[in-house]
């Protein structure tokens, strides 16, 4: 099965102080270990045996295209106002082949092993979300600061990997639209999914898999949490300390 990969390479509205520190106004163009950050996940996707077309979405696709290799498998498009609108438009586009893997331009440590593991475990699901368990990441990077959501049996963080396997995924996307601006606040996301889900998580009455299955039933989809074995899948470049950590890892010093 060949997946369509989507790389979200947009920028926040207004001035981005983080990008400005590195001499650019676009976060995806921040240099990481000698090359624009967006080039790293795109290269990993092109190197993956399971990926067919790679779609790169940005408010300024021409500027992003200028720093990426010339490859007929890469397509560039204008992103919509929000992530949910962008993904929804892609899924509804008859030219887009399902299933779709979505990742972000700041996923600088993405590699072919992560892609292979995620897609194999996500196959057949209407919606799948990549996750990393807290203990595994802190064992690798004790200083890492992440947004963690605790469930019975462990706490987890997202890995910026999402799979949309069918048109049924439109229902979760519509639900996501209501909390998109608060996506860094785990309790806000859970509250939008209903009191049973929220209480089950807050009181740690259910495991991650049980919560995701309950959400899937509520939305009428086959939803799946994909726990990734490499904890570095949860590391993105979202602030200066992340940038320093990622460059250290890429240099083989971490």
């Amino acid at each position: 099965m060949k997946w369509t990969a989507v790389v979200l390479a947009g920028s926040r509205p207004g001035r981005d102080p983080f990008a400005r520190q590195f001499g650019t106004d676009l976060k995806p163009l921040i240099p990481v270990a000698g090359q624009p950050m967006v080039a790293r996940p795109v290269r990993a996707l092109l190197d993956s045996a399971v990926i067919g077309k790679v779609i790169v979405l940005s408010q300024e696709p021409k500027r992003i295209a200028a720093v990426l290799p010339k490859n007929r498998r890469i397509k560039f498009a204008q992103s919509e106002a929000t992530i949910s609108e962008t993904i929804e438009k892609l899924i509804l586009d008859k030219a887009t082949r399902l299933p779709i893997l979505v990742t972000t331009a700041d996923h600088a440590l993405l590699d072919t092993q992560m892609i292979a593991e995620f897609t194999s475990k996500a196959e057949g699901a209407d919606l799948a979300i990549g996750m990393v368990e807290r203990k595994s990441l802190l064992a690798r990077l004790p200083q890492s600061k992440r947004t963690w959501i605790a469930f019975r049996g462990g706490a987890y963080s997202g890995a910026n990997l999402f799979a949309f396997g069918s048109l049924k995924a439109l229902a979760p996307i519509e639900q996501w639209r209501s909390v998109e601006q608060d996506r860094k606040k785990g309790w806000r996301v859970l509250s939008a999914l209903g009191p049973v889900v929220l209480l089950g998580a807050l009181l740690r009455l259910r495991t991650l898999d049980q919560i995701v299955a309950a959400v899937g039933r509520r939305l009428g989809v086959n939803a799946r949490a994909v726990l990734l074995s490499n904890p570095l899948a949860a590391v993105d470049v979202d602030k200066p300390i992340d940038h320093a950590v990622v460059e250290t890892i890429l240099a083989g010093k971490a």
Side-chain angles (χ1 to χ4, degrees):
M1 179 186 295
K2 290 288 186 180
W3 289 62
T4 298
V6 175
V7 180
L8 302 177
S11 298
R12 297 185 181 96
R15 292 172 60 89
D16 186 338
F18 180 34
R20 294 282 179 180
Q21 290 182 40
F22 295 91
T24 182
D25 59 332
L26 296 181
K27 180 184 172 185
L29 299 184
I30 291 174
V32 174
Q35 63 179 288
M37 178 163 58
V38 64
R40 293 189 169 276
V42 169
R43 185 178 62 189
L45 291 163
L46 290 174
D47 289 344
S48 170
V50 301
I51 300 299
K53 183 166 64 175
V54 178
I55 303 173
V56 182
L57 296 165
S58 171
Q59 291 98 337
E60 299 195 42
K62 290 184 179 179
R63 290 180 63 189
I64 301 298
V67 304
L68 293 176
K70 304 297 182 183
N71 189 304
R72 61 183 179 81
R73 292 167 57 203
I74 305 178
K75 307 297 180 183
F76 298 91
Q78 186 85 24
S79 57
E80 301 299 320
T82 65
I83 295 173
S84 57
E85 288 178 44
T86 299
I87 301 304
E88 185 177 61
K89 182 178 178 180
L90 272 176
I91 292 176
L92 289 172
D93 188 345
K94 293 182 179 179
T96 304
R97 181 177 177 177
L98 298 175
I100 299 172
L101 178 153
V102 177
T103 189
T104 55
D106 61 6
H107 204 328
L109 297 179
L110 184 68
D111 61 28
T112 55
Q113 288 77 23
M114 294 178 194
I115 296 167
E117 181 181 20
F118 178 74
T119 54
S120 66
K121 292 180 177 179
E123 188 174 339
D126 299 313
L127 171 68
I129 303 171
M131 306 290 286
V132 167
E133 204 277 327
R134 179 166 57 188
K135 289 181 181 178
S136 65
L137 180 59
L138 294 184
R140 180 73 171 81
L141 297 173
Q143 75 276 35
S144 181
K145 303 293 183 182
R146 298 287 303 172
T147 299
W148 301 101
I149 303 179
F151 301 93
R152 194 181 77 193
Y156 304 85
S157 185
N160 280 355
L161 288 169
F162 306 88
F164 301 92
S166 75
L167 292 177
K168 289 183 178 181
L170 292 171
I173 291 172
E174 185 61 34
Q175 188 73 39
W176 172 253
R177 193 192 303 273
S178 67
V179 295
E180 189 166 352
Q181 299 306 313
D182 295 316
R183 59 187 179 275
K184 295 293 186 180
K185 300 175 182 177
W187 67 269
R188 179 73 176 87
V189 175
L190 290 171
S191 66
L193 297 172
V196 173
V197 172
L198 177 62
L199 286 174
L202 291 179
L203 300 178
R204 302 187 188 183
L205 300 176
R206 295 182 176 184
T207 65
L208 171 64
D209 288 338
Q210 288 171 333
I211 288 289
V212 172
V215 171
R217 288 193 296 272
R218 183 174 180 272
L219 298 176
V221 299
N222 176 355
R224 191 178 303 166
V226 173
L227 191 60
L228 294 160
S229 57
N230 186 345
L232 297 183
V235 178
D236 54 21
V237 183
D238 205 36
K239 48 188 179 295
I241 185 62
D242 299 329
H243 186 274
V245 168
V246 166
E247 288 212 319
T248 301
I249 291 170
L250 290 173
K253 298 177 182 179

